[in-house]
Amino acid sequence: MSETGPDAGPRFSIIVPVFRVQGFLRACMDSVLGQDFPDFELLAVDDCSPDGSGAILDEYAARDDRVRVLHLPENGGLGPARNAGLQRARGDYLLFLDSDDTLVPGALGALAERLAATAHPEILVFDYARTYWDGATRRNTLSALLDESGAPSFPLAERPQLLDLLQIVWNKAYRRDFIEEHGFTFPQGYYEDAPWTFCTLITAPRIAVLDRVCLHYRQRRQGGNILRTTSRKHFDVFDQYARVFAYLDAHPELAHWRPHMFRKMTDHYLTVLDKPGRLPRSARAEFFHRAARDYRLRLPAGFVRPGGVTGGKYALLAKDAYPALAGLKVAGKVQRAVRKHAGKRVRQAKRKAMDLRYQALLRQPLDENLAVYSAYWNRLPSCNPLAVYEKAKELAPDVHGVWVVKKQLAGAVPAGIDHVVLNSPRYWEVVARAKYLVNNVNFADNVVKREGQIHLQTHHGTPLKSMGTDQKRYPAAAKGMSFRKLLARADRWDFSLSANRHTTEQWERVYPCDFTSVDAGYPRNDVYYRATAQDVLDIRERLGIAPGRTAVLYAPTMRDYQVGYVPRLDLERLSRALGENFVLLVRTHYFYDRDPGLQKLQERGALIDVSGHPVVEELCLAADALVTDYSSIMFDYANLDRPIINYADDWDTYVRSRGVTFDLLSGQPGDTPGVLATTEDELIEAFRSGRWDDERAAALRAAFRARFCPWDDGHAAERVVRRVFLGQEATPEPVPQEQRTVAPTPRTAAASAGLLTLPAPRRGAHEDVRRREASGTAEASGTSGTLDASGTLDASNASGVSGTSGTSGTSDTSGPSDASGASDASGASDASNTSGVSGTPGASDTSNASGASDVEMAG
């Protein structure tokens, strides 16, 4: 034990090996740092993880000096990573925590209390519970072995049944001086816990138990667990038990443990053989023969085999009789088949219901040069899929793209784009035979993912609101969706596109499926870096915006707790307050029908209703500023480096009903994109005072852009096509933000065309106030205009929206809320088109082709 005093180490050293776990890592780290027992150090070992895990660890280390991060130069696996942490540990006791698992609240305090009560044993064994993606929690079924009655501590010989617990390292606290005295380290390879666990337990003079769940063991649906990986690496189990018996050979005083270790070895070998999906079929016989060799080599004298079926398997190993074992397994399968007869009948019924023609098509060869595209539940071509489609025509011209659209929209598909009508004979043909399937939501449930097909999920927004499995906690958002069906759809994804690290982490956590993240940026945002001044002017002219007017785009998201479109602003009052030199563009979420009230206001000249405009990116290019609430349009619009104002009048209700991934209203750089307003009066005051575009708003905007627009640079579509269609690296590397050239602001574009003269550089709002106070004037001017005597905002003297360049990306207010992407609230049919192809009209149909409403992918 370490001495107490100023130079003493912490009570616990918590060693966390980290590899490819960015979606779960924050939960792991927070579970440790949020403990009410503070006397610990957290040793996080980045095992050369190729994702953003290392950066996340550095972020935590910068905030909390109890976190120490070690970045390994190359990937060595779980055992070497733990050893690296061991070498730097200073605590009295060692704890090991896998980076996708979590400590429960109060765990460290309970461990410290139990260690003190049991006179500091060499090992303390505590309990755990398995947690599942659907929210279920199941305690260890052998928890009764941790009964605390009896002696406070004991040698293993008094309670050998503890060997029947799962052979894991992370349900125990180890006294560091005991580990160092005996030189215990972790081996490489699969099943590295076995030699560590068995050798430490049989060596420890004193063991104590704690009958309390201290750790949640995450059961990931796919990936992240060697037990679900088909590989020859499962042969590593032979090396691990060779280490156990070598340890026994080196310690004759422990010879009485040989029968126990032999039983554990044999059971483990049989488990690897019995569990489906671990060994390649071609390797099963080889594995059995090696297991039989170890059985005969290490069989202790006088060993008594267990009874029943297990004893029969032991006998077959002793005889190296693999054919007999295979026959035994077949018999077991027959019995299981009888028990599952009812389930089989249900599956047969479903298969009979499947279209026979589709079944025949599924047996035909894949067309390696065919790609199927869809956007927003089979609306018109738009969003990220459209941008990928256009770039694929350039970089992979041999791949023919076909779009899926609803029957009522088929006549509106732009000329030159091949398309099929949903559920038509040709539709079933292309989805059955296409090599590539690209969508920003999910394909219908009855689309079969074939071996060899490649599904690209592009998503359609950055998730501020909770998505995927997180929605289980918010019934208003889930609306009765089947999360099992949701995840079955997500299981088909091979690639998941991401616009920023925050999004990557969220997708990997809330869609626990075996896809590869493509950190490329959003292709639909490429247009922001390619649009010219003339493009901006042309868009504004088509929308009817005069060159000298300041256009404010108002694009709110939908509300899960409301039915239908409910205006949250008095738009006529806002338009009147802004004054005649402003023009208000209003875009409702595409889930809603066209609003008659907006049409009446448009007829009176109070605003322009752009809810049905087919390309959201064009609206963003035309707008001098964005007013939104929680829509993901803000993340895309941030690329343009133009003012963003969040009107958040129902934030508390929204958070309770939908859940969020970060605090938009914190006011902290990186969280808040600009000015916040929670009432109409605050919103109007923000424009009147000039706060909407002052220096503080610009600084917040820059931090927000740095966090959420790291990869949008005009080349996102190219990176996606190279990675997915061409099998290359996702190149080119993103251009640094300070080197990017974004589309000019409307005022800059007008000035370049000689349509207006830009004023001298503006002062900040606070400087303007000081000037007015010093002069004694009562003028209520701001950077955006002056108030006339009637109280209306006169923008004639305003310099307008600042036109600083920055990352660009088109924003899509159109993203629906389907299981696959973060939604964006603003609009309807989307925006994606860098090629000028129009998107969908503002349809309100939210049903997907399978008949399910995928509210999962929100916007």
Side-chain angles (χ1 to χ4, degrees), residues 518-586:
V518 180
D519 296 339
Y522 274 160
R524 70 185 183 196
N525 292 343
D526 286 352
V527 66
Y528 293 137
Y529 298 93
R530 300 182 180 176
T532 65
Q534 191 58 51
D535 292 331
V536 173
L537 294 176
D538 289 346
I539 294 169
R540 286 171 65 93
E541 183 178 5
R542 291 199 302 272
L543 293 172
I545 305 170
R549 301 187 78 185
T550 298
V552 176
L553 174 61
Y554 173 52
T557 189
M558 62 172 291
R559 298 299 192 275
D560 297 294
Y561 64 87
Q562 292 177 336
V563 178
Y565 172 62
V566 179
R568 309 205 65 83
L569 275 175
D570 184 338
L571 296 173
E572 187 169 18
R573 179 193 178 205
L574 177 61
S575 176
R576 186 169 60 250
L578 290 177
E580 63 180 10
N581 289 299
F582 279 69
V583 59
L584 189 61
L585 311 178
V586 179

Side-chain angles (χ1 to χ4, degrees), residues 28 35 46 67 182 252 333 373 465 601 611 640 740 743 840:
C28 174
Q35 292 287 313
D46 171 18
V67 179
H182 293 275
K333 288 181 180 179
Y373 296 85
K465 64 183 65 176
L601 290 174
S611 300
L640 289 168
R740 301 175 193 174
T840 75

Side-chain angles (χ1 to χ4, degrees), residues 582-622:
F582 279 69
V583 59
L584 189 61
L585 311 178
V586 179
R587 186 178 185 85
T588 59
H589 192 277
Y590 62 89
F591 272 13
Y592 301 129
D593 291 321
R594 298 294 293 273
D595 180 55
L598 288 180
Q599 296 176 31
K600 291 179 181 179
L601 290 174
Q602 180 171 255
E603 292 170 1
R604 296 206 296 267
L607 52 81
I608 300 176
D609 181 7
V610 292
S611 300
H613 190 79
V615 185
V616 175
E617 288 81 3
E618 289 187 354
L619 300 179
C620 293
L621 287 167

Side-chain angles (χ1 to χ4, degrees), residues 347-364 423-425 428-429 432 446 448:
R347 290 192 296 272
Q348 287 176 336
K350 290 182 178 179
R351 283 196 295 270
K352 289 180 181 178
M354 183 74 74
D355 179 78
L356 295 178
R357 183 171 184 274
Y358 183 46
Q359 290 293 315
L361 289 167
L362 290 172
R363 293 190 290 271
Q364 295 185 13
N423 291 325
S424 66
W428 290 112
E429 179 181 356
N446 52 3
V448 176

Side-chain angles (χ1 to χ4, degrees), residues 695 762-772:
E695 292 177 359
R762 297 168 316 185
R763 293 175 292 271
H766 298 297
E767 181 183 348
D768 214 23
V769 171
R770 289 196 300 270
R771 178 185 61 82
R772 292 196 302 273

Side-chain angles (χ1 to χ4, degrees), residues 627-630 634 644-649 651 662-668 671-687 691-692 696-697 700 704:
V627 175
T628 186
D629 41 22
Y630 323 120
M634 76 181 91
I644 299 173
I645 301 93
N646 291 99
Y647 177 60
D649 65 316
W651 173 252
F662 65 93
D663 186 359
L664 179 72
L665 271 61
S666 74
Q668 297 299 309
D671 286 351
T672 304
V675 171
L676 298 171
T678 57
T679 66
E680 284 188 16
D681 289 342
E682 289 180 359
L683 178 61
I684 292 171
E685 185 276 333
F687 280 98
R691 289 193 302 111
W692 67 295
R696 183 176 185 278
L700 287 172
F704 192 81

Side-chain angles (χ1 to χ4, degrees), residues 811-848:
S811 82
D812 168 323
T813 88
S814 63
S817 72
D818 167 347
S820 67
S823 75
D824 83 67
S826 55
S829 60
D830 178 25
S832 61
N833 187 358
T834 68
S835 68
V837 179
S838 67
T840 75
S844 63
D845 181 3
T846 64
S847 64
N848 92 2

